[in-house]
Amino acid sequence: MAGRRMIEKIVHRVIDECHTACPLAIARHYNIPVVSLPLPHSVRGYMLALDDGSVGIAVNDKIHAWERPLVVAHEIGHYIMHDQTLFLSYNAWPQKYEHREYESDVFAYMLAAHCYDMSVKDLYLIVPRYEDVNDWRALYRLFCRKLKETKKEARKWIKT
């Protein structure tokens, strides 16, 4: 399993290669189409195999617009770090938080940290080790709380 430091190196490599931290632009760089589909509420997105042998990313059309880049980033994490024949839903294994899901979550949050100028050091404080996380929801709540705080701090600096 890739640790947080290794995933951080992978994120930096992707950003350098694509010249951006924007998940939708990264998907375009890798020629991965992103489509919105009506999916069950419990499925936020997944990677799918296309007829020509390439891959695409399906995103639940009911999720909030601000959540869409996180889902796309998560799926790009799978594409880059995992067997590309593995097409799993973002929430396919609710009974067990699988290490590949953790790795893709960390990849997504590190990419988002670059998009929002969040310190990776701060991110490490809110992204516990795999052994300390029960499911993606807990990690997601921690990240969203930190992101909200970061945006508040940014607004304070803008006002002064």
Side-chain angles (χ1 to χ4, degrees):
M1 181 173 92
R4 294 179 302 178
R5 298 274 183 219
M6 177 59 74
I7 296 169
E8 183 180 355
K9 288 178 183 176
I10 293 168
V11 167
H12 283 287
R13 181 179 50 83
V14 169
I15 291 170
D16 288 345
E17 180 183 330
C18 299
H19 306 291
T20 183
C22 172
L24 297 171
I26 291 170
R28 279 192 300 277
H29 177 84
Y30 289 117
N31 295 317
I32 302 172
V34 178
V35 296
S36 291
L37 296 174
L39 301 172
H41 180 69
S42 64
V43 178
R44 295 167 40 180
Y46 60 90
M47 189 169 289
L48 48 97
L50 302 176
D51 292 339
D52 65 0
S54 64
V55 298
I57 295 173
V59 178
N60 191 325
D61 64 358
K62 295 173 216 56
I63 65 172
H64 296 286
W66 61 266
E67 191 176 10
R68 182 180 167 102
L70 278 177
V71 173
V72 172
H74 173 93
E75 297 306 330
I76 290 170
H78 280 305
Y79 176 80
I80 290 170
M81 295 187 296
H82 304 129
D83 181 354
Q84 292 176 19
T85 61
L86 181 67
F87 303 106
L88 293 173
S89 141
Y90 188 71
N91 190 20
W93 309 110
Q95 70 278 9
K96 182 179 178 233
Y97 190 55
E98 214 243 358
H99 75 274
R100 287 176 292 216
E101 295 302 311
Y102 171 81
E103 290 170 346
S104 291
D105 279 342
V106 172
F107 178 91
Y109 299 149
M110 285 189 177
L111 207 54
H114 285 277
C115 287
Y116 294 108
D117 291 327
M118 182 189 295
S119 156
V120 174
K121 182 180 174 185
D122 283 347
L123 189 61
Y124 279 152
L125 296 175
I126 60 162
V127 177
R129 295 170 307 164
Y130 173 68
E131 304 83 43
D132 300 330
V133 183
N134 293 326
D135 63 18
W136 66 267
R137 290 175 192 90
L139 194 58
Y140 179 74
R141 281 191 294 272
L142 286 169
F143 178 76
C144 288
R145 189 177 314 132
K146 182 60 183 175
L147 184 57
K148 213 179 256 187
E149 291 169 13
T150 301
K151 285 182 177 179
K152 280 182 188 173
E153 282 299 312
R155 280 195 293 267
K156 277 185 208 172
W157 283 103
I158 292 168
K159 288 179 184 177
T160 56

